[in-house]
Amino acid sequence: METPMMYYIVISLVMFFAGVYGFMTRKNMLMMLISIELMLNAVDINFAVFNRFLFPGQMEGMIFSIFAIAIAAAETAIAIAIIINIYRHIRNIDADNLDDMKY
Amino acid sequence: MDLSQYTLIWEYMQPELLLLIATVLLFFIDLFASPRFLDKWFSATACFLLAVVTILGCIPGEATHTLFGGMFISTPMTTAMKMVLNIGTILILLQAHTWINSEACKVRRGEFYELMFFTLFGMYLMISSGHFLIFFIGLETASLPIAALVAFNKQGGDSYESGAKYLFNAVFSSAIFLMGISFMYAIGGSLYFVDIATVATTHTALFIVALAFIITGIGFKLSLVPFHLWTADVYQGGPTAVTAYLSVISKGAAAFAFLWVLFKTFSPSHEMWQGILYALIILTITLGNLFAIRQKDLKRFLAFSSISQAGYIMLGVMAYSAQGLTALVYYILVYIFSNLAAFGVIAAIENKTGKVNMDDYNGLYQTNPKLSLAMMLAMFSLAGIPPFAGFFSKFFIFASAVNSGFYILVLIALINTIISLYYYLLVVKAMFINPNENPIEPIKTDCYGRTGLVICVAGILLLGIASCVYGYLSGLSLTVGI
């Protein structure tokens, strides 16, 4: 018996919105980065699942998710570089401390 | 594999390939040339290479070409848009010369130019995409290096804070955008713009969610109002040249690509996205203007002014016609000249004195008449006062929206123009009328910055009067066939 598509979609949506929630509430920048990764990976699951169940004859979704993974890796690299730079300046990575500029 | 494709690729992708060649050349020049040569001529070399790219590759032809099975589309209008972006980037490179050759930034000079060229490459891809994969790659190639550029001032200031804010917002928005695309894929089974336009004609709940997510994702890049919160902080903290780049080039490319996606992909459901944009435009123009009034930091001030300008640009998308497309590209062209004139003055003063506050500009006219004149022209053009180019661009974009029947929207936009006049004139008042005991001392800009400013001012004065520009763009947009 094959697992129905709905199961996968529920998982990916829960992941996505857990990511959104984490991004809004977390203070530590690395945790924010991980939340964003959750969101991006949820999208990858979506693409793979839609491809596998709805359009099994082609590979467009799979290819797209590979590209999305590669770009997510690039994003993480730049984010970590910036976070390290911040750590060198203010000795912690709390998003709350980045409030020099407001209104 | 069919080898005859390669000549076609060279022929049709010329702007992209030439730009890549220019980037590689620049990299090698940075690596092997002597430091003395670089100090003197590196900016000039970069400008020269970009000018060569523009002349060889970005002169609009007449035919529409597709490559890679329709993933890459090159029309005369996209080529014209690439030319507009190139002109803006050359102006920014001219203005950045003083800053990038200062002692603190000299070591990383090469990176600045190469990253800038790479973002430009991403924008090219984004503009002429015919498939969401290319669009997404272009979007990311355009936005990720900018995060590195915003955090460019490693030593001090608020640069790192801006970089973090920009990057997290950009990645968050692209995740939302990707979610929208994945839903779109579930509906149609294809990500080609043409295929989606034929498949997605019924308004299911999934379709509406997908459309809303996609608009949200691009809205972040364009800083439309509910998604604008990063803009002011990033503009204030980033280096002035990068801020200028973000506010004109990045925004212009995103606006054009947004229009392209909406026109091509969602043409059957244009009433739906027009409804969403209607609310977004009113919010963007009004809130951008109201917040701009209370700003004292000039870069922050220009950030909010650019938010409200993004609202005006969106009026061209609203129009959903060839006239709207023409008006949008023309508006972006004029906006590049007027905004870069303002940023050029700010950069010149910031480089010498480090002052960016509006109160510091009091009495600027007594000491720096030429700079204050350029700033005044820029403000008049941004506000849309008649003989200058800004008036004509606003006129055309309002006319295109009116022709599509959005009378109330245009009325609101017009009222907002009057509000914007107030805060643009505040800057002019500070420079010409406000008394000041010790105004900024006379500043002598180098020949690069001066050339940039002179070109900007010439653009402001001439673009509106030379009606051939608008006529030319209009002729190009008719070939697109919307």
Side-chain angles (χ1 to χ4, degrees):
Chain A
M1 196 188 88
E2 204 175 40
T3 323
M5 185 170 86
M6 200 40 99
Y7 287 30
Y8 294 101
I9 295 178
V10 165
I11 287 182
S12 95
L13 276 184
V14 167
M15 260 172 84
F16 187 82
F17 286 102
V20 173
Y21 177 76
F23 185 75
M24 301 290 176
T25 53
R26 289 288 177 165
K27 301 277 180 263
N28 188 316
M29 281 190 168
L30 279 179
M31 296 307 285
M32 285 164 75
L33 193 61
I34 291 173
S35 308
I36 289 181
E37 287 298 314
L38 269 184
M39 291 166 69
L40 289 168
N41 289 340
V43 174
D44 295 342
I45 294 179
N46 251 0
F47 269 112
V49 168
F50 288 144
N51 195 346
R52 167 77 180 72
F53 285 90
L54 295 179
F55 313 102
Q58 40 152 310
M59 291 297 285
E60 212 171 343
M62 301 286 183
I63 301 289
F64 199 106
S65 54
I66 286 178
F67 274 94
I69 290 169
I71 286 173
E75 280 165 354
T76 317
I78 294 184
I80 297 222
I82 289 179
I83 290 174
I84 289 175
N85 193 15
I86 288 172
Y87 182 77
R88 286 199 182 134
H89 276 94
I90 59 176
R91 288 288 143 196
N92 66 48
I93 49 171
D94 266 10
D96 280 1
N97 292 325
L98 297 181
D99 58 353
D100 285 354
M101 293 179 286
K102 261 184 180 175
Y103 299 105
Chain B
M1 183 158 176
D2 185 11
L3 285 176
S4 67
Q5 271 269 318
Y6 283 111
T7 53
L8 287 185
I9 290 174
W10 171 248
E11 208 171 311
Y12 299 157
M13 277 185 84
Q14 220 156 47
E16 285 79 10
L17 294 176
L18 284 173
L19 188 68
L20 273 189
I21 293 172
T23 317
V24 175
L25 267 180
L26 208 61
F27 177 73
F28 279 111
I29 291 172
D30 181 32
L31 210 58
F32 292 120
S34 69
R36 283 233 327 274
F37 172 82
L38 288 181
D39 277 350
K40 219 164 175 186
W41 295 110
F42 198 32
S43 316
T45 319
C47 290
F48 174 72
L49 283 175
L50 203 54
V52 169
V53 171
T54 316
I55 291 166
L56 289 184
C58 298
I59 303 296
E62 297 195 333
T64 299
H65 304 295
T66 56
L67 276 177
F68 307 118
M71 276 189 166
F72 181 91
I73 302 171
S74 148
T75 66
M77 204 60 196
T78 55
T79 320
M81 187 63 206
K82 285 167 195 169
M83 185 157 76
V84 170
L85 295 182
N86 276 354
I87 294 170
T89 314
I90 291 175
L91 288 175
I92 289 171
L93 290 182
L94 286 173
Q95 291 175 359
H97 177 78
T98 318
W99 165 73
I100 201 70
N101 281 300
S102 61
E103 281 307 315
C105 299
K106 221 160 134 184
V107 196
R108 289 166 282 137
R109 185 170 42 197
E111 293 155 36
F112 172 75
Y113 292 108
E114 278 139 32
L115 286 177
M116 204 158 243
F117 277 36
F118 266 120
T119 51
L120 203 58
F121 176 73
M123 285 164 202
Y124 282 9
L125 280 188
M126 186 164 83
I127 286 170
S128 44
S129 57
H131 185 277
F132 268 119
L133 180 58
I134 299 278
F135 185 85
F136 173 64
I137 291 175
L139 192 76
E140 291 306 315
T141 318
S143 71
L144 287 183
I146 290 184
L149 283 176
V150 169
F152 198 78
N153 282 345
K154 268 199 328 205
Q155 277 80 20
D158 298 319
S159 203
Y160 58 89
E161 182 180 334
S162 296
K165 281 174 177 168
Y166 180 77
L167 185 78
F168 278 105
N169 273 304
V171 181
F172 184 71
S173 68
S174 61
I176 291 176
F177 176 68
L178 271 180
M179 200 66 179
I181 299 181
S182 82
F183 288 154
M184 218 29 113
Y185 179 66
I187 296 170
S190 168
L191 288 169
Y192 285 98
F193 290 173
V194 196
D195 292 350
I196 294 178
T198 53
V199 174
T201 46
T202 51
H203 296 166
T204 55
L206 190 61
F207 176 77
I208 296 169
V209 171
L211 182 61
F213 274 20
I214 288 175
I215 289 181
T216 309
I218 308 180
F220 263 107
K221 311 275 176 203
L222 267 172
S223 59
L224 298 178
V225 149
F227 328 114
H228 70 294
L229 288 164
W230 58 274
T231 318
D233 289 359
V234 172
Y235 280 31
Q236 187 188 352
T240 307
V242 180
T243 307
Y245 191 75
L246 257 177
S247 78
V248 293
I249 311 293
S250 173
K251 183 165 285 185
F256 187 85
F258 193 29
L259 174 138
W260 211 243
V261 170
L262 289 180
F263 279 22
K264 289 285 170 199
T265 317
F266 301 108
S267 45
S269 48
H270 65 93
E271 274 159 5
M272 179 169 291
W273 56 256
Q274 273 171 338
I276 299 177
L277 275 187
Y278 201 101
L280 286 185
I281 289 176
I282 293 178
L283 276 176
T284 308
I285 300 181
T286 316
L287 283 182
N289 274 334
L290 292 182
F291 275 97
I293 292 176
R294 56 192 292 267
Q295 299 307 323
K296 281 291 162 201
D297 184 303
L298 268 181
K299 275 156 91 178
R300 235 179 142 73
F301 163 81
L302 278 177
F304 280 105
S305 122
S306 89
I307 291 174
S308 73
Q309 298 280 351
Y312 292 124
I313 293 176
M314 282 299 102
L315 282 176
V317 183
M318 265 311 255
Y320 186 56
S321 61
Q323 196 191 2
L325 174 62
T326 319
L328 180 127
V329 176
Y330 184 70
Y331 197 102
I332 291 170
L333 181 64
V334 171
Y335 177 58
I336 282 176
F337 281 105
S338 18
N339 220 20
L340 285 185
F343 272 112
V345 175
I346 291 176
I349 290 175
E350 193 190 8
N351 282 332
K352 285 276 156 37
T353 61
K355 289 174 178 170
V356 282
N357 211 310
M358 206 186 282
D359 295 335
D360 299 329
Y361 280 58
N362 285 349
L364 186 72
Y365 178 66
Q366 291 146 24
T367 49
N368 294 297
K370 284 178 190 159
L371 280 183
S372 18
L373 212 59
M375 189 72 163
M376 184 191 79
L377 289 178
M379 289 300 147
F380 282 177
S381 179
L382 283 172
I385 291 178
F388 307 113
F391 167 74
F392 294 96
S393 64
K394 275 212 170 68
F395 172 75
F396 286 128
I397 212 146
F398 287 161
S400 73
V402 162
N403 269 348
S404 301
F406 296 105
Y407 296 105
I408 296 176
L409 186 64
V410 171
L411 183 69
I412 294 171
L414 278 173
I415 293 171
N416 270 293
T417 314
I418 300 167
I419 300 176
S420 75
L421 199 58
Y422 167 71
Y423 62 78
Y424 285 129
L425 289 183
L426 275 184
V427 182
V428 179
K429 172 169 167 281
M431 290 186 307
F432 285 85
I433 298 174
N434 285 3
N436 195 349
E437 296 289 297
N438 44 351
I440 296 170
E441 70 271 24
I443 286 168
K444 199 163 162 19
T445 46
D446 60 352
C447 65
Y448 288 95
R450 214 177 305 143
T451 320
L453 271 180
V454 166
I455 296 174
C456 287
V457 169
I460 292 173
L461 291 177
L462 296 179
L463 263 181
I465 298 166
S467 61
C468 54
V469 181
Y470 184 82
Y472 179 61
L473 288 174
S474 173
L476 289 182
S477 72
L478 287 177
T479 63
V480 176
I482 294 164

